[in-house]
Amino acid sequence: MTERAILGVAVIGTGKMGADHVRRIQEVISGARVTALVDVDAERAKSVAARVDGCTVHTDPAAAMASTDVDAVIVASPGPAHEAALLAAFEHDLPVLCEKPLTPDAASALRVLEAEQKLGRRRVQVGFMRRYDAEYMKLKSLLETGQLGRPLMLHNRHRNVASPPGWTSEMLINDSVTHEMDVTRWLLGHEITAVTVLAPTPSGNAPDGIRDPQFLLFETDGGAIVDVEIYVNCGFGYQVQAEVVCERGTARVGDGHAMVTHAAGRWGGTIAQDYIERFADAYDREVQTWVDATRRGEVTGPSTWDGYAVAAVCEAAVQALQEGGRVPVALTERPALYA
Amino acid sequence: MTERAILGVAVIGTGKMGADHVRRIQEVISGARVTALVDVDAERAKSVAARVDGCTVHTDPAAAMASTDVDAVIVASPGPAHEAALLAAFEHDLPVLCEKPLTPDAASALRVLEAEQKLGRRRVQVGFMRRYDAEYMKLKSLLETGQLGRPLMLHNRHRNVASPPGWTSEMLINDSVTHEMDVTRWLLGHEITAVTVLAPTPSGNAPDGIRDPQFLLFETDGGAIVDVEIYVNCGFGYQVQAEVVCERGTARVGDGHAMVTHAAGRWGGTIAQDYIERFADAYDREVQTWVDATRRGEVTGPSTWDGYAVAAVCEAAVQALQEGGRVPVALTERPALYA
Amino acid sequence: MTERAILGVAVIGTGKMGADHVRRIQEVISGARVTALVDVDAERAKSVAARVDGCTVHTDPAAAMASTDVDAVIVASPGPAHEAALLAAFEHDLPVLCEKPLTPDAASALRVLEAEQKLGRRRVQVGFMRRYDAEYMKLKSLLETGQLGRPLMLHNRHRNVASPPGWTSEMLINDSVTHEMDVTRWLLGHEITAVTVLAPTPSGNAPDGIRDPQFLLFETDGGAIVDVEIYVNCGFGYQVQAEVVCERGTARVGDGHAMVTHAAGRWGGTIAQDYIERFADAYDREVQTWVDATRRGEVTGPSTWDGYAVAAVCEAAVQALQEGGRVPVALTERPALYA
Amino acid sequence: MTERAILGVAVIGTGKMGADHVRRIQEVISGARVTALVDVDAERAKSVAARVDGCTVHTDPAAAMASTDVDAVIVASPGPAHEAALLAAFEHDLPVLCEKPLTPDAASALRVLEAEQKLGRRRVQVGFMRRYDAEYMKLKSLLETGQLGRPLMLHNRHRNVASPPGWTSEMLINDSVTHEMDVTRWLLGHEITAVTVLAPTPSGNAPDGIRDPQFLLFETDGGAIVDVEIYVNCGFGYQVQAEVVCERGTARVGDGHAMVTHAAGRWGGTIAQDYIERFADAYDREVQTWVDATRRGEVTGPSTWDGYAVAAVCEAAVQALQEGGRVPVALTERPALYA
């Protein structure tokens, strides 16, 4: 392998997620290295850079992108900073792996969508990493065989041990259920057309004022009904499950039944305690797939359109939570680029 | 055991369900015998009676109830005949095991409720036999310990291989989901206050014009959200599952994982093909429990109130299916007799 | 049902097992009643009789058997008393359900075998109740279809929470592994031809001097290899599992996966704590099957030959435990009566 | 990352396993590249080299090892060639990942052991890749906590769809059960002291003359009893399971229960069809761990001692298979280097 063939990556944002991507590229990923780090907090960027041989540090994404040893960009800064970073990458014609959300709202997502269309080709892979989980991939493959018939319903469970400080009722939707929105669209190949949100009396585990758990219903343009239980203060573990009900059978992933013990009057096993334990492989596969595609000159995976569509569904879901009832989702027409 | 101590039972209705109760009392149940059979079709009653020593045959329930060797009554006739049979049993002061539904609609159920109140004591056990399934009993016991905290959500699955000829979209609710209505009320100890029904594009397995599957949502006066997937033409088996999500944990029954095989590239087991395979033990336990209680002079189990409340929820659900949207459930005040 | 048709049963032995059979016949079984109780301890028999209408009490089995309202006998006395009780039943030409062991050793079992042959017809069902467990029955049925091919190996696990006071290393074989000996012979349709016993360093849970656990190997005349883990002080629960490995697949029973919970970082369920919890249904089915067959004038189920063969395997296993190495099993020729 | 920091690897042997390691290092592993390929069949080496930028091709391992851009060696040639390759690597002071077996017999393994001792430090990681499987690692971690008490027994299952052409009865032991020998020693921290092999009448699936399945018993110097079912023509899938029975509980890995489907009357999932499907992650982790350790200047993982001990157990097992009975294992004293 010649030096040239190693992908030089600029990582924008060196917080928890960005620093983890740096570690991943250094220690796990084949065929890439970190050549630039960007953070508005230069000190934070420098402290991460101290563990990386020969990478430059910047406070401005565009400066990093101008560097000759930057071949591609990972955007891991806070959501509100994504639009500017993406537009800068478009200007430098660099491929991007953009952490979710694409942008914080549908209007800004639409601007990015339009900018990418002007380029005339895809530059962005959005970080919906469920698509790279081995179990979800298996489920997708099974559905594609058609052997179970057409999907009719999709039941999702999404549980976290505890919500971080400062969470709001809306963040259950915007930060967590976004994964199920993408999963719904990807697994079924449908767009979501309406959202209803119900919420039981909040759990005693939930911080004051937070409506946790919630129960969301999606209707799709393919005639499917999708439900999502989101419970971010369940206390007992991190659990993500999906069950597709098709005409002739069902398939479920996420049981997490690896090692079975018998002890103290019980059979069973342990539940993962966070997304890193559950989805570390999916993140690794996501980034390796992106590196491999980028080195081949391709862009694959979840697109800007997917990021935009999820942003639009989020807005409807938040309205449904706040106002009650069923809220339709309005999407712009799907551009040919994302057909 | 003296002859007197053996409970003499009149079985009203000798169709599939009635004949099965006759067999059960003859071959499985301890402490009871069939002493009278009733059917408007006397020939059908006679052919069942041919397998029972010393039982009389009648076309009129009241005639059977007047017999001195009838100590108790099982009502297994079609739903529209239940009201008259129950009122006759009240007149003869006989305890009754009444197959579900109590009566076909809330108004007639209310009349039975009022008649029983005039007696001043319970005479009726309604045939909601899920309460006698070992797994549901275990789930109920667990919830009663309180160790998982308050129940927040209940997810139900109810799947049949194929619907009988002549089924309508409404019968998915009236004949099948009634079980989940009772299970919801019994497991959670809540009344259902509103119903919403969604339906995906029907399965290709469903007969023309039948909306199958359906997805129902119940709200309860205890602040829980309950969902029910009902799919009566799934083709692959008979499956009934329930998962309660409580504040500190979840519990699920109905996986049906008895024998595990490894063969032909697959691990797993077989799925029951009908309710008899899945719930034979529950029916046996239901009837044995009724016989035992009756011999002790007691009436236990699901009451006339339970039968009435489910009838009222059914009416709301059918309206929700037909008209869309969320339909509230209006119950009369709960009489002290059923407190 | 006429009075005559109810089977009158004498129960010999009113200890734990006998008293449980009395309760079972009174409260669970259809078509039988207890008409006589026998115990060398007359007071114990009387105290059990106090809960049964109209049954007589005896200290001599033969006296009970002479009673006109005794149609059949359950032998639940200690093993050393079985031979006399069985021979007395043969004299009175009464069908017997004999708790395991048939007799305490192969020589006495052989005497019973010969006495029954002189009668020229089977009178005894031996209490190997695993054959009446729903899961083992399912496994047997699957093997009989032949769809997995010929059985090659059988792996058994048998675990108890704790051994009763006074247990010896030999009792793991004589009291517990006898079930697996019968299961092996019944499931595979083979006779056991040799036994090897290995034992790890005893568990810290085992009482001083007890070799617990043990690991037994059976060779069969059908060319199968069978292993049995017996561990009677495992502390965590009562577990009985069997896995048959056939040419084209395997099948396993005994996982006991009824209700699944997620709580406190773990998924899974509870393990039964004793044989009553695990096998109550099997005991009920065993006795109901015996009552039904007896009322039809038939004798079915495990035979005197089965009781004898297991006694012979036990003797070989105890020798293998004490002396080490592989011990062949010597059986007399199988009489035509048990073909 | 500077060019110097990327580990240059010579792969010796470019057959199926060697070629797979080349692909792995190219596409999966972080921090290494293939710089030399060695095969006695130069054409085969060249055709693999065609897919690798800038690597040299050799027919002599020593020539490759002399190259300045070779920092470490993977030995994936046939077993009989291992000894020479290992000794050459010792001469060049290069760290080695040596595919199992270390060498084909205990005598040659002992020579390698002695040669490495003369170096005075470990150079070899043997390719017992089970130790890098996530489930086995979890099992090992659980045992190390001690919460289940001391391990008493270990039950292993090892099943393959079909044996390759040319397999012999001995190869079930030498090629397959070697994994369980290493797993036993690693999981329990015991040496194996005696082996017994039993074999049922061979499966109809087994090629003529092959004793398949076999059932092996290991006794250990820690007082544990270990059994291994090896069945390499089971037809239905590739399955590797281990269940440790400890004083206070058991733990099992290898169920492979990822996605659960319900269809066509069955619940369950698919079984892996080969070791690549089941253990791809373990191979990746094995090689990444070796690369990481090597770059840090360390040697970790299964040692030359482990390779030697397994070779000695194999010899005993083959003798036990051929001659019957229990065969003790004689190991040389464990050198301090491997303490």
Side-chain angles (χ1 to χ4, degrees):
Chain A
M1 183 181 296
T2 62
E3 179 65 13
R4 184 189 50 77
I6 301 268
L7 194 73
V9 177
V11 177
I12 300 176
T14 59
K16 186 180 172 190
M17 184 61 86
D20 195 48
H21 278 310
V22 170
R23 175 202 58 78
R24 180 172 291 109
I25 290 173
Q26 293 284 103
E27 299 175 9
V28 179
I29 298 301
S30 178
R33 60 187 184 117
V34 176
T35 50
L37 287 175
V38 182
D39 204 304
V40 290
D41 177 347
E43 290 314 305
R44 184 163 72 170
K46 276 181 198 162
S47 86
V48 173
R51 300 191 296 270
V52 183
D53 275 357
C55 85
T56 56
V57 170
H58 311 260
T59 53
D60 174 20
M65 293 179 196
S67 163
T68 54
D69 61 357
V70 167
D71 305 311
V73 178
I74 291 180
V75 174
S77 48
H82 286 194
E83 183 179 359
L86 289 163
L87 297 180
F90 292 170
E91 275 178 37
H92 290 85
D93 198 27
L94 291 174
V96 187
L97 174 60
C98 179
E99 269 305 324
K100 76 169 191 65
L102 179 69
T103 65
D105 56 75
S108 54
L110 201 51
R111 289 194 294 270
V112 174
L113 189 78
E114 284 161 3
E116 195 181 37
Q117 283 181 81
K118 277 184 200 148
L119 290 181
R121 57 183 184 129
R122 285 188 54 191
R123 296 275 75 193
V124 180
Q125 175 179 326
V126 180
F128 289 127
M129 100 297 166
R130 289 272 183 85
R131 303 192 187 193
Y132 299 94
D133 175 63
E135 295 194 12
Y136 276 87
M137 290 167 73
K138 219 168 177 173
L139 181 53
K140 173 76 169 164
S141 294
L142 176 65
L143 292 177
E144 284 174 349
T145 66
Q147 65 192 71
L148 298 184
R150 191 163 39 83
L152 305 169
M153 291 172 288
L154 170 60
H155 308 305
N156 299 281
R157 311 279 167 264
H158 187 149
R159 297 163 185 152
N160 288 65
V161 175
S163 56
W167 265 47
T168 63
S169 299
E170 287 71 23
M171 291 174 81
L172 274 72
I173 293 168
N174 286 328
D175 279 60
S176 296
V177 182
T178 42
H179 283 294
E180 276 73 26
M181 293 172 186
D182 182 62
V183 159
T184 294
R185 300 174 60 260
W186 171 67
L187 274 184
L188 305 185
H190 301 174
E191 291 294 352
I192 296 168
T193 55
V195 186
T196 306
V197 181
L198 290 91
T201 304
S203 165
N205 294 346
D208 270 4
I210 305 296
R211 299 180 72 176
D212 180 32
Q214 298 174 20
F215 191 75
L216 290 88
L217 287 160
F218 303 152
E219 299 165 51
T220 77
D221 61 4
I225 300 295
V226 178
D227 59 279
V228 183
E229 175 204 316
I230 175 73
Y231 184 16
V232 300
N233 289 284
C234 79
F236 63 81
Y238 179 79
Q239 264 195 328
V240 169
Q241 300 182 316
E243 180 186 24
V244 184
V245 181
C246 297
E247 290 174 301
R248 291 190 293 279
T250 80
R252 186 179 71 220
V253 297
D255 284 354
H257 292 177
M259 181 168 67
V260 179
T261 59
H262 295 94
R266 295 188 58 80
W267 61 268
T270 55
I271 304 173
Q273 291 300 298
D274 58 27
Y275 71 91
I276 294 172
E277 184 179 350
R278 169 66 182 89
F279 284 120
D281 286 350
Y283 280 103
D284 291 352
R285 192 175 290 111
E286 175 193 54
V287 175
Q288 186 71 62
T289 304
W290 175 71
V291 165
D292 293 349
T294 301
R295 291 170 81 198
R296 290 193 311 269
E298 298 174 12
V299 179
T300 63
S303 70
T304 304
W305 172 259
D306 297 311
Y308 157 72
V310 167
V313 175
C314 271
E315 291 190 353
V318 167
Q319 184 186 337
L321 173 70
Q322 292 168 342
E323 301 175 8
R326 174 185 180 276
V327 176
V329 176
L331 291 184
T332 187
E333 203 170 336
R334 187 174 180 133
L337 182 58
Y338 310 102
Chain B
M1 183 179 295
T2 63
E3 180 65 12
R4 186 188 48 76
I6 302 269
L7 194 74
V9 178
V11 176
I12 299 175
T14 58
K16 186 181 172 190
M17 184 60 87
D20 195 49
H21 278 310
V22 170
R23 176 203 58 76
R24 181 173 291 110
I25 290 173
Q26 293 285 104
E27 300 176 8
V28 179
I29 298 301
S30 179
R33 61 186 183 118
V34 176
T35 50
L37 287 175
V38 183
D39 204 302
V40 289
D41 178 347
E43 291 313 306
R44 183 162 72 170
K46 277 179 198 164
S47 84
V48 172
R51 299 190 296 270
V52 183
D53 275 356
C55 84
T56 56
V57 170
H58 311 261
T59 53
D60 175 20
M65 293 179 195
S67 165
T68 54
D69 60 357
V70 167
D71 304 312
V73 178
I74 290 180
V75 174
S77 48
H82 285 194
E83 182 177 0
L86 289 164
L87 297 180
F90 291 172
E91 276 179 35
H92 290 87
D93 198 26
L94 292 173
V96 186
L97 175 60
C98 179
E99 269 305 323
K100 75 169 192 63
L102 179 69
T103 65
D105 56 74
S108 52
L110 202 52
R111 288 194 295 270
V112 175
L113 189 78
E114 283 161 4
E116 195 180 38
Q117 283 182 82
K118 278 184 199 148
L119 290 180
R121 56 185 184 128
R122 283 188 56 189
R123 296 274 76 193
V124 181
Q125 174 178 329
V126 180
F128 289 127
M129 101 295 166
R130 289 272 183 84
R131 302 192 186 193
Y132 299 94
D133 175 64
E135 295 193 12
Y136 276 87
M137 291 168 71
K138 218 167 179 174
L139 180 54
K140 174 76 170 164
S141 294
L142 176 65
L143 292 178
E144 285 174 347
T145 66
Q147 66 193 70
L148 298 185
R150 190 163 40 83
L152 306 169
M153 292 172 285
L154 168 61
H155 307 305
N156 299 280
R157 311 280 167 263
H158 187 151
R159 296 162 187 154
N160 288 64
V161 176
S163 56
W167 265 47
T168 63
S169 299
E170 286 73 22
M171 291 175 80
L172 274 73
I173 294 168
N174 286 327
D175 279 59
S176 296
V177 182
T178 42
H179 283 294
E180 275 75 25
M181 293 172 185
D182 182 62
V183 159
T184 293
R185 299 175 59 260
W186 172 67
L187 274 184
L188 305 185
H190 301 174
E191 292 293 354
I192 295 168
T193 54
V195 186
T196 306
V197 182
L198 290 92
T201 303
S203 165
N205 294 347
D208 270 4
I210 306 297
R211 299 179 72 176
D212 180 33
Q214 298 174 21
F215 191 75
L216 290 88
L217 288 160
F218 303 151
E219 299 165 51
T220 79
D221 62 4
I225 300 295
V226 178
D227 59 279
V228 184
E229 176 205 316
I230 176 72
Y231 183 15
V232 299
N233 289 283
C234 79
F236 64 80
Y238 178 80
Q239 264 194 328
V240 169
Q241 300 182 316
E243 181 186 25
V244 184
V245 181
C246 298
E247 290 174 302
R248 290 190 292 279
T250 80
R252 185 178 72 220
V253 296
D255 284 354
H257 292 177
M259 181 168 67
V260 179
T261 59
H262 295 94
R266 294 188 58 80
W267 61 269
T270 55
I271 304 173
Q273 291 299 298
D274 57 28
Y275 72 92
I276 294 172
E277 185 179 351
R278 169 67 182 86
F279 284 120
D281 286 351
Y283 280 104
D284 291 351
R285 192 176 289 110
E286 175 193 54
V287 176
Q288 187 71 62
T289 304
W290 176 70
V291 165
D292 292 350
T294 301
R295 292 171 79 197
R296 291 193 312 267
E298 298 175 11
V299 179
T300 62
S303 71
T304 304
W305 173 260
D306 296 312
Y308 157 72
V310 167
V313 175
C314 271
E315 291 190 353
V318 167
Q319 184 186 337
L321 173 71
Q322 292 169 342
E323 301 175 7
R326 174 185 181 276
V327 176
V329 177
L331 290 184
T332 187
E333 202 170 335
R334 187 173 181 135
L337 182 57
Y338 311 103
Chain C
M1 184 181 295
T2 64
E3 180 64 14
R4 186 189 49 77
I6 302 270
L7 193 74
V9 178
V11 176
I12 300 176
T14 58
K16 185 180 173 191
M17 184 61 86
D20 196 48
H21 278 310
V22 170
R23 176 202 58 75
R24 180 172 290 110
I25 289 173
Q26 293 285 102
E27 298 176 8
V28 179
I29 298 300
S30 178
R33 61 189 183 116
V34 176
T35 50
L37 289 174
V38 183
D39 205 303
V40 290
D41 178 347
E43 290 313 306
R44 184 162 71 170
K46 277 181 197 162
S47 85
V48 173
R51 298 191 296 271
V52 183
D53 275 357
C55 85
T56 56
V57 169
H58 311 260
T59 52
D60 174 20
M65 293 179 195
S67 165
T68 54
D69 60 356
V70 167
D71 304 313
V73 179
I74 290 180
V75 175
S77 48
H82 285 194
E83 182 178 1
L86 288 164
L87 296 180
F90 290 172
E91 276 179 34
H92 289 86
D93 198 26
L94 291 173
V96 187
L97 174 61
C98 180
E99 269 305 324
K100 76 169 192 63
L102 179 69
T103 65
D105 56 74
S108 53
L110 202 51
R111 288 195 295 271
V112 174
L113 188 78
E114 284 160 3
E116 195 181 37
Q117 283 182 81
K118 278 184 199 148
L119 290 181
R121 58 185 184 127
R122 285 187 54 189
R123 297 274 74 192
V124 180
Q125 174 179 326
V126 180
F128 289 127
M129 102 296 165
R130 290 272 183 85
R131 302 192 187 194
Y132 299 95
D133 175 63
E135 294 193 13
Y136 276 87
M137 291 167 72
K138 218 168 179 173
L139 181 54
K140 174 75 169 164
S141 294
L142 176 66
L143 292 178
E144 284 173 349
T145 65
Q147 65 193 69
L148 297 185
R150 191 163 39 82
L152 305 169
M153 292 173 286
L154 169 61
H155 308 305
N156 300 280
R157 311 279 168 265
H158 187 150
R159 296 163 186 155
N160 289 64
V161 175
S163 57
W167 265 47
T168 64
S169 299
E170 287 72 22
M171 291 174 81
L172 275 72
I173 293 168
N174 286 327
D175 280 59
S176 295
V177 182
T178 44
H179 283 294
E180 276 74 26
M181 293 171 186
D182 182 62
V183 159
T184 294
R185 299 175 58 262
W186 171 67
L187 274 184
L188 305 185
H190 301 174
E191 291 293 353
I192 295 168
T193 54
V195 185
T196 306
V197 182
L198 291 92
T201 303
S203 165
N205 294 346
D208 270 4
I210 305 297
R211 299 179 72 177
D212 180 33
Q214 298 174 20
F215 192 75
L216 290 87
L217 286 161
F218 305 151
E219 299 165 52
T220 78
D221 62 3
I225 300 295
V226 178
D227 58 280
V228 184
E229 175 204 317
I230 176 72
Y231 183 16
V232 300
N233 289 284
C234 78
F236 64 80
Y238 178 80
Q239 264 195 328
V240 169
Q241 299 182 316
E243 180 186 25
V244 184
V245 181
C246 298
E247 290 174 301
R248 291 190 293 279
T250 81
R252 186 178 72 220
V253 296
D255 284 354
H257 292 177
M259 181 168 67
V260 179
T261 59
H262 295 94
R266 294 188 58 81
W267 61 268
T270 56
I271 303 174
Q273 290 300 298
D274 58 27
Y275 71 92
I276 294 172
E277 184 179 350
R278 170 66 182 88
F279 284 121
D281 286 350
Y283 280 105
D284 291 351
R285 191 176 289 111
E286 175 193 53
V287 176
Q288 186 70 61
T289 303
W290 175 71
V291 166
D292 293 349
T294 302
R295 292 172 79 198
R296 291 191 314 267
E298 298 173 12
V299 179
T300 62
S303 71
T304 304
W305 173 260
D306 296 313
Y308 158 71
V310 167
V313 176
C314 271
E315 291 190 352
V318 167
Q319 185 187 336
L321 173 69
Q322 293 169 342
E323 301 176 9
R326 175 185 179 276
V327 177
V329 177
L331 290 184
T332 187
E333 202 169 337
R334 187 174 181 134
L337 182 58
Y338 310 102
Chain D
M1 182 180 294
T2 62
E3 179 66 12
R4 184 190 49 75
I6 302 269
L7 194 73
V9 178
V11 177
I12 300 176
T14 58
K16 186 180 171 191
M17 184 60 87
D20 195 49
H21 278 310
V22 170
R23 175 202 57 78
R24 180 172 291 110
I25 290 173
Q26 293 285 103
E27 299 176 9
V28 179
I29 298 301
S30 178
R33 60 187 183 117
V34 176
T35 49
L37 287 175
V38 183
D39 204 304
V40 289
D41 178 346
E43 291 313 305
R44 183 162 73 170
K46 277 180 197 164
S47 85
V48 173
R51 299 191 296 270
V52 183
D53 275 357
C55 85
T56 55
V57 170
H58 311 260
T59 53
D60 175 20
M65 294 178 195
S67 164
T68 54
D69 60 358
V70 167
D71 305 311
V73 178
I74 290 180
V75 174
S77 48
H82 286 193
E83 182 178 0
L86 289 163
L87 297 179
F90 292 170
E91 277 178 35
H92 290 86
D93 199 28
L94 291 173
V96 186
L97 174 60
C98 179
E99 269 305 321
K100 76 169 189 65
L102 179 69
T103 65
D105 56 74
S108 53
L110 202 51
R111 289 193 294 270
V112 174
L113 190 77
E114 284 161 3
E116 194 180 37
Q117 283 182 82
K118 277 184 199 147
L119 290 181
R121 57 183 184 129
R122 284 188 55 189
R123 297 274 75 193
V124 180
Q125 174 178 328
V126 180
F128 290 127
M129 102 293 166
R130 290 272 182 84
R131 303 191 186 195
Y132 299 95
D133 175 64
E135 295 194 11
Y136 276 87
M137 291 167 73
K138 219 167 177 174
L139 181 53
K140 174 75 170 165
S141 294
L142 176 66
L143 293 177
E144 285 174 349
T145 66
Q147 66 192 71
L148 298 184
R150 189 163 40 82
L152 304 169
M153 291 172 287
L154 168 61
H155 307 305
N156 299 281
R157 311 279 167 264
H158 187 150
R159 297 163 186 153
N160 288 65
V161 175
S163 57
W167 266 47
T168 64
S169 299
E170 287 72 22
M171 291 174 80
L172 274 72
I173 294 167
N174 286 327
D175 279 59
S176 296
V177 182
T178 42
H179 283 294
E180 275 74 26
M181 293 171 185
D182 182 62
V183 159
T184 293
R185 300 174 59 261
W186 172 66
L187 274 184
L188 305 185
H190 301 175
E191 290 295 352
I192 295 169
T193 54
V195 186
T196 306
V197 182
L198 290 92
T201 304
S203 166
N205 293 347
D208 271 4
I210 305 296
R211 299 180 73 177
D212 179 33
Q214 298 174 20
F215 191 76
L216 289 89
L217 287 160
F218 303 151
E219 299 165 51
T220 78
D221 62 4
I225 300 295
V226 178
D227 58 279
V228 183
E229 176 205 315
I230 175 73
Y231 184 14
V232 300
N233 290 283
C234 78
F236 64 80
Y238 179 80
Q239 263 195 327
V240 169
Q241 299 182 317
E243 180 187 24
V244 184
V245 180
C246 297
E247 290 175 302
R248 291 190 293 279
T250 79
R252 186 178 72 221
V253 296
D255 285 354
H257 292 178
M259 181 168 67
V260 178
T261 60
H262 295 94
R266 294 188 58 80
W267 61 269
T270 55
I271 304 173
Q273 291 299 299
D274 58 27
Y275 72 91
I276 294 172
E277 184 180 349
R278 168 68 182 86
F279 284 120
D281 285 352
Y283 280 104
D284 291 351
R285 192 175 289 110
E286 175 193 54
V287 176
Q288 186 71 61
T289 304
W290 175 71
V291 166
D292 292 349
T294 302
R295 292 171 80 197
R296 291 193 311 267
E298 298 174 13
V299 178
T300 63
S303 70
T304 304
W305 173 259
D306 296 311
Y308 157 72
V310 167
V313 176
C314 271
E315 290 190 353
V318 167
Q319 183 185 338
L321 172 71
Q322 292 169 343
E323 301 176 7
R326 173 184 181 278
V327 177
V329 176
L331 289 184
T332 187
E333 202 170 337
R334 186 174 181 134
L337 182 57
Y338 311 102

